[in-house]
Amino acid sequence: MPHVAWRVATPRYKDWAAVAASGNFSPFLAESRLIHPSPPESPAPRGCFVPQKLAEALSSQYGLIVFVAGLLLLLAWAVHASGVGKSALLCFLTALMLLQLLWMLWYVVRSSAHRRLIRPKDTHAGARWLRGSITLFAAITIILGCLKIGYFVGFSECLSATEGVFPVTHAVHTLLQVYFLWGHAKDVIQSFKTLERFGVIHSVFTNLLLWTNGVLNESKHQLNEHKERLITLGFGNITIVLDDHAPPCNCSPPAFCSAISQGVYYLYPFNIEYQILASTMLYVLWKNIGRRVDSQPHRNVRFTLPGVMVASVPGLTVLAATIGVVVVYLIQTGRSKTESESALIMFYLYAIALLMLMAAAGLLGIRIYRVDEKSLDESRNPARKLDADLLVGTASGSWLISWGSILAILCAEARPPYTWFNLPYSVLVIAEKYIQNLFIIESIHREPEKLSEDIRTLRVVTVCNGGAISLASSRLESGAVAADVASLGGEAPRVANGNMHLRGGCGREEEEEGSREGTPGPARHPRFLQGDAKRRVLRNIAAFLFLCNISLWIPPAFGCRPEYDNGLEEIVFGFEPWIIVVNLAMPFSIFYRMHAAASLFEVYCKI
């Protein structure tokens, strides 16, 4: 029978004083309750055993091979390579989804058969709000699939059957995957680890390929619209043939097919966010396979609205103003050269003001953290590490575009009037994301704030031979603590930072306490940085930045892209090179805003 390690839960705090005074801890240990046995250590492996690092390398290389093969198919279809049509690409993606469906069904059935077993969980992975947001994006993805099925029905005369099978398979895949993530995103897999690694990494790269397919379709649509605007403005000399994959037959009824083809591209941004969010959640599940989870309790974060009215009003105002700017921009751009330039200037002025406010809010939050001087949580956490890596990695997309714009402005021979608004805009994009990343990364590495002042932690300390032994801690009401400690007689214990200590034993602890009392503490900080006031300021900063990031996600996701319409970069770098840079970097820039908003929501709930 495997050895079972038990954690000792302390008895009621009423007996602590007597135990500490007598120095005999036997009654204390005898009356302790035994709860929550830690998971037994797994026996030594028998037969074929694959080390964890080798299993990770094997599965990751398999995933990369699948991903590279899919990327080559996508590239071949995008450049109209001979012999590679859309049917081949959709067959490959459908096969990947069907294979993932089989693995998920096997995992769900096996988990249901062993549902009575106690399984370790990663409490930091798969937060409820994250699963809720992915459910929303998944619902819109299913609507997108329904529109694609209608598009296939309209053009059924000249479309292959794979274009009808793909959206159906994708809808089923989306439903089962959301169910899987709701039930198993927190799992720490400890059995069939090598097989599960291949299944999870296959799911990760399948979703990444579906994300890439959505990005490619949406980018081609945006590029075609940009070329049409250039033709309208008389720039046909830099415009190549429209890259149109329209079917070579007529749709019946025409109005129905036209509405569907237009509506599909308005839903692609949500589908893109769904696929990348699913990839990140599955990646955390892959990193947790075989991991030893620490037994430290995790405080559940809660979403509450009171106290953020200061941030909600300007944040919602920014959101409404952004929608108005996007509508005006899309209407005016492409009508005439004058109207296009005025639309660009309007967008740059609005974005400059918003980025300055966001940078100031981020700097204020960082300043509060620097004054607080609280130690950070450096424990291993795959979900938190992935959040930080994605923030920096996806920000590099917009940094690439911004540096390209700055270089084009400096090297251009002729500079239109709106150029001088593009320069500060590009600089602020770099600075604001740099500051915001620092604020978010430090926030997610901080421990949650302590509970209200009427909750105390009583720590009984006995000093023997110059060493302090901390016996237990428990949440107590402040009045009950005072009543029980009074029964000790003699000098009352001191309270420091919400912890109550008993004096006695060697004088070393007294000296250390005295030296700590002489150091500057939180009392010397400004009043607005203390307690609930500090927490309220940080929550307002997080709420304001959350709404601003949602606002800045809307313009590029729905076609408001001055990087296309500026024209200066296309003249300096050339049309096709600059379009390639924008098409590669823009998806990461769009995802950055949504991921930053999700991280800020987590920060808001945590503060």
Side-chain angles (χ1 to χ4, degrees), residues 184-400:
H184 304 283
K186 295 178 178 291
D187 288 2
V188 179
I189 300 172
Q190 300 292 350
S191 60
F192 297 95
K193 290 183 285 188
T194 302
L195 176 62
E196 303 293 11
R197 280 193 177 93
F198 277 89
V200 177
I201 205 67
H202 176 88
S203 304
V204 170
F205 284 103
T206 297
N207 280 275
L208 282 178
L209 283 174
L210 292 172
W211 171 75
T212 309
N213 180 55
V215 167
L216 182 60
N217 281 283
E218 198 266 344
S219 297
K220 291 170 76 67
H221 173 72
Q222 295 292 340
L223 182 58
N224 283 336
E225 289 191 345
H226 173 57
K227 292 175 181 178
E228 290 174 355
R229 289 194 294 266
L230 289 177
I231 293 173
T232 302
L233 296 175
F235 293 101
N237 56 335
I238 63 171
T239 305
I240 58 177
V241 179
L242 293 179
D243 189 6
D244 194 5
H245 289 273
C249 61
N250 295 325
C251 173
S252 56
F256 172 74
C257 295
S258 176
I260 287 180
S261 60
Q262 291 297 322
V264 161
Y265 292 104
Y266 286 104
L267 299 182
Y268 261 120
F270 302 99
N271 169 246
I272 291 170
E273 296 300 329
Y274 161 72
Q275 301 293 173
I276 197 66
L277 280 177
S279 299
T280 57
M281 294 179 70
L282 289 166
Y283 176 78
V284 173
L285 179 63
W286 180 74
K287 291 293 291 184
N288 277 330
I289 296 177
R291 176 189 166 206
R292 290 184 177 272
V293 182
D294 54 6
S295 58
Q296 295 180 358
H298 174 65
R299 175 188 163 189
N300 293 327
V301 295
R302 294 181 299 173
F303 174 71
T304 55
L305 282 176
V308 293
M309 187 60 66
V310 176
S312 300
V313 173
L316 292 174
T317 303
V318 166
L319 183 59
T322 302
I323 296 174
V325 168
V326 170
V327 171
V328 174
Y329 182 94
L330 294 177
I331 292 175
Q332 288 191 349
T333 303
R335 283 190 170 184
S336 65
K337 188 175 182 180
T338 304
E339 291 185 0
S340 296
E341 290 184 355
S342 63
L344 283 170
I345 293 174
M346 174 197 65
F347 177 84
Y348 284 138
L349 288 175
Y350 172 74
I352 288 170
L354 180 55
L355 290 171
M356 290 178 65
L357 289 175
M358 294 175 67
L363 286 173
L364 177 59
I366 295 172
R367 177 58 182 167
I368 292 175
Y369 284 147
R370 295 279 65 80
V371 172
D372 192 17
E373 295 181 354
K374 186 178 179 180
S375 60
L376 301 181
D377 180 13
E378 300 294 343
S379 60
R380 184 188 174 193
N381 187 332
R384 186 173 59 198
K385 184 179 185 303
L386 179 62
D387 285 341
D389 292 344
L390 284 175
L391 282 173
V392 179
T394 54
S396 61
S398 58
W399 289 341
L400 175 63

Side-chain angles (χ1 to χ4, degrees), residues 30 49 75 108 192 244 263 586:
F49 171 70
L75 179 62
V108 170
F192 297 95
D244 194 5
M586 186 61 68

